[in-house]
Amino acid sequence: MASLFLSKFSFFLLLIIITLFFHSSHCDVLTRCHITSLFQFGDSIADAGNVIRIPGAVISAQAWGLPYGETFFHKPTGRFSDGRIIADYIATALSLPFLNPYMDKSGVSFSQGANFAVAGATAMNNSFLEERGIGHVPFNVPLPSQLEWFKSHLQSTYGSKYSTTLRNSLVVLGEFGGVDYWNALAGNKPEPEVRTYVPFIIDGIISAIKEVIQLGSTRILVPGVFPFGCLSSYLTRFADTNPNAYDQYGCLKFYNDFATYHNIELKKALENLRCEFPRVKIVYGDYYGGFRLVFRYASWLGFNPSTLVSACCGSGGRYNAGGCSSASTNVCPNPSQYVNWDGLHLTDEAYHRISNVVINNMLPKFGCYGLRNSSALSSY
């Protein structure tokens, strides 16, 4: 009888945990928050259309054409997904409009923030990468360059009063590092060497945070990287004949361990930074944890457990990774049942669920205790 009681108790405890992770508060008032604008930095995980506006930017994942954007926008927007990205869900949770890409010069509004993320962007400057023989796209806009865009944008949009805007803003810095590591590992750099890059990348992220703090930012979200070993492109590029190299979901343990190492070092650095700037709210965005929770509760969330590590859009093969384009593409009929979209990026629905974890964790830490009609965290 006692064991039966404990079993039922554990079941209900599990339901509560899932609810906290994936469901929303439905309060009508957003209290003590006062976030009136949002600024996003990053790579293709966060790009809302900058790369497709850079002359000569040619990349294998053709986000300027369908099937990118097919699910939510019903047209390509430059986002590397079938629909929305995490930045869109964060904006919705804060009752802000989707951010326009900084490179959009068509007269769109930047009154409530801007997106500076660019697909292919690295944390490190080109000189760092070239000294180590790491490839990068010729149009690379690394983190330091995005910061220059940011400062120029603040001056041109808000003038001398930009610090007031930043006090009422949220800055999302990243994720960064994913492109640096992928370019190095896919370029056959040995993992022990790539591991030596981690302190440099963490230092680059911390330096950028200090810079936005000095400009006046008081709330900063700093995401970690995804579990690389669960991405279809990693699974294709680094396939292993040893079945013990894979975990229960079919992810490569070695590359997940590498991502975990980066995230642990980032969290340590952020803790030190909080001591240095105690009045600034600096929150770690657990993209890795959100991703893994989606895998753990995949069936309950509506994902197909048999295709967790397969890309919805690709050119075939075991994981259908690579070559997501209008010319020769295998696109799944139900992207909402997939986590991987094109091999390195995720579906609208996967971003939706990961965003719930990140947003529910960050809002109380930023002093936000209610959500105003947030579609990002509802409809379950």
Side-chain angles (χ1 to χ4, degrees):
M1 179 67 76
S3 61
L4 178 61
F5 172 79
L6 288 174
S7 177
K8 290 182 177 180
F9 177 79
S10 299
F11 174 74
F12 285 115
L13 180 61
L14 175 62
L15 287 180
I16 292 170
I17 292 171
I18 294 174
T19 300
L20 288 174
F21 273 124
F22 293 110
H23 289 248
S24 67
S25 163
H26 294 288
C27 302
D28 294 327
V29 181
L30 189 63
T31 61
R32 290 179 52 204
C33 190
H34 309 299
I35 295 177
T36 57
S37 55
L38 174 64
F39 298 98
Q40 174 77 54
F41 299 83
D43 54 27
S44 55
I45 303 300
D47 191 347
N50 280 311
V51 75
I52 64 172
R53 292 173 169 85
I54 296 176
V58 178
I59 43 183
S60 58
Q62 299 177 3
W64 50 81
L66 290 170
Y68 288 89
E70 66 174 20
T71 297
F72 181 80
F73 298 100
H74 308 298
K75 63 179 181 179
T77 63
R79 290 168 172 81
F80 286 74
S81 174
D82 62 310
R84 291 157 291 187
I85 53 179
I86 293 175
D88 298 321
Y89 286 109
I90 291 174
T92 301
L94 297 173
S95 297
L96 296 173
F98 292 168
L99 297 180
N100 289 310
Y102 172 74
M103 291 296 291
D104 189 347
K105 308 302 181 184
S106 64
V108 297
S109 173
F110 292 105
S111 62
Q112 292 182 284
N115 186 308
F116 303 97
V118 183
T122 55
M124 307 309 294
N125 276 323
N126 292 349
S127 58
F128 175 93
L129 303 171
E130 290 162 2
E131 286 171 7
R132 291 158 179 80
I134 304 170
H136 61 82
V137 292
F139 53 85
N140 188 25
V141 185
L143 175 53
S145 298
Q146 292 181 28
L147 283 171
E148 292 305 311
W149 280 3
F150 180 53
K151 288 185 281 188
S152 175
H153 172 77
L154 291 176
Q155 289 285 355
S156 62
T157 306
Y158 307 104
S160 60
K161 298 181 179 179
Y162 68 78
S163 59
T164 302
T165 297
L166 288 180
R167 280 196 296 272
N168 296 314
S169 300
L170 170 62
V171 171
V172 184
L173 210 144
E175 55 82 54
F176 275 104
V179 176
D180 305 68
Y181 300 136
W182 168 255
N183 289 352
L185 292 166
N188 298 317
K189 293 289 182 183
E191 190 271 347
E193 178 182 337
V194 179
R195 189 170 281 250
T196 67
Y197 307 157
V198 173
F200 293 99
I201 289 172
I202 300 299
D203 285 348
I205 294 170
I206 296 302
S207 295
I209 297 170
K210 289 182 178 180
E211 194 160 349
V212 298
I213 289 173
Q214 289 164 0
L215 289 168
S217 297
T218 60
R219 279 170 285 203
I220 306 166
L221 179 70
V222 188
V225 297
F226 286 144
F228 299 142
C230 297
L231 298 174
S232 308
S233 290
Y234 270 83
L235 287 158
T236 300
R237 178 68 178 78
F238 306 111
D240 199 310
T241 57
N242 181 0
N244 293 326
Y246 298 86
D247 67 13
Q248 69 270 36
Y249 303 112
C251 304
L252 282 164
K253 293 185 282 188
F254 181 84
Y255 295 97
N256 280 357
D257 289 344
F258 182 86
T260 298
Y261 170 63
H262 167 93
N263 290 338
I264 288 172
E265 293 303 306
L266 177 59
K267 285 187 278 189
K268 288 178 183 176
L270 294 180
E271 189 58 40
N272 291 334
L273 203 59
R274 293 186 193 103
C275 295
E276 186 175 349
F277 298 98
R279 298 187 180 216
V280 179
K281 294 181 173 67
I282 305 168
V283 176
Y284 172 73
D286 193 6
Y287 286 12
Y288 187 108
F291 193 119
R292 294 293 285 181
L293 279 169
V294 167
F295 268 42
R296 185 175 181 182
Y297 301 113
S299 296
W300 188 82
L301 294 169
F303 294 100
N304 184 346
S306 66
T307 60
L308 287 180
V309 293
S310 297
C312 170
C313 179
S315 56
R318 180 177 179 183
Y319 300 104
N320 195 37
C324 181
S325 65
S326 57
S328 57
T329 296
N330 298 314
V331 186
C332 67
N334 297 304
S336 64
Q337 295 180 359
Y338 281 67
V339 175
N340 279 270
W341 166 245
D342 62 7
L344 288 172
H345 313 99
L346 309 186
T347 62
D348 177 289
E349 186 62 17
Y351 283 137
H352 181 183
R353 302 299 183 163
I354 293 169
S355 296
N356 291 351
V357 176
V358 174
I359 291 167
N360 278 325
N361 176 66
M362 79 173 189
L363 286 178
K365 294 177 180 177
F366 288 136
C368 307
Y369 299 104
L371 300 176
R372 190 186 310 136
N373 299 323
S374 171
S375 63
L377 300 177
S378 59
S379 302
Y380 291 92

